[in-house]
Amino acid sequence: MQQHVRFGRIAAVLPVKDIQLAKAFYVDGLNFEVVFENGDPVGFVILKREAAELHLTLQPQHKAAAFPIAHLLVDDANALFNRCQALGARIVKGIQDKDYGIRAFVFADPDGNRVDVGQIIGE
């Protein structure tokens, strides 16, 4: 007999080489809020913005994956695309409407971590 297990939140953990640079990108650039820091010097940070949560972990030898490691659902992909461009984030895939009802793009943060952004536009 299988027991019911209720799942809670799940958050992407982004490895970063420079935690202060990453924190500046997400906090100053994308308006996330720091809700937790650990270590002296800081080696782990929890960031939140509305329902989105990211965890930054200091990994000095980090090499970015060649695929998105997080997906972020937003209500205005065009606005976030423009913000990412203004911040100088590398746009890996330009913004486009997908045939499955999503407007999407992929950006890379300062550590090369790719984030797939989507906005539901169709039923």
Side-chain angles (χ1 to χ4, degrees):
M1 179 173 144
Q2 186 177 12
Q3 262 188 331
H4 173 74
V5 176
R6 189 182 81 67
F7 284 35
R9 69 174 170 77
I10 187 168
V13 178
L14 304 183
V16 298
K17 290 181 183 179
D18 182 334
I19 207 151
Q20 296 306 322
L21 179 66
K23 192 166 80 167
F25 176 79
Y26 286 102
V27 172
D28 300 334
L30 298 183
N31 298 321
F32 277 80
E33 177 184 343
V34 175
V35 295
F36 179 78
E37 290 185 329
N38 190 32
D40 184 18
V42 173
F44 180 77
V45 177
I46 297 176
L47 304 173
K48 287 190 81 166
R49 178 176 170 179
E50 288 107 21
E53 184 172 325
L54 288 175
H55 296 188
L56 306 178
T57 181
L58 183 61
Q59 299 294 319
Q61 304 306 315
H62 169 62
K63 294 198 184 335
F67 52 85
I69 62 167
H71 182 265
L72 174 62
L73 194 59
V74 298
D75 66 356
D76 189 341
N78 292 330
L80 185 55
F81 179 79
N82 293 336
R83 183 69 185 142
C84 286
Q85 285 187 310
L87 290 170
R90 185 168 62 91
I91 303 300
V92 177
K93 288 185 182 177
I95 196 160
Q96 55 185 286
D97 291 350
K98 303 292 189 175
D99 59 1
Y100 45 85
I102 298 283
R103 177 169 293 129
F105 73 96
V106 177
F107 73 87
D109 73 8
D111 285 281
N113 295 308
R114 296 179 184 195
V115 178
D116 183 4
V117 176
Q119 172 190 348
I120 299 169
I121 57 172
E123 294 298 318

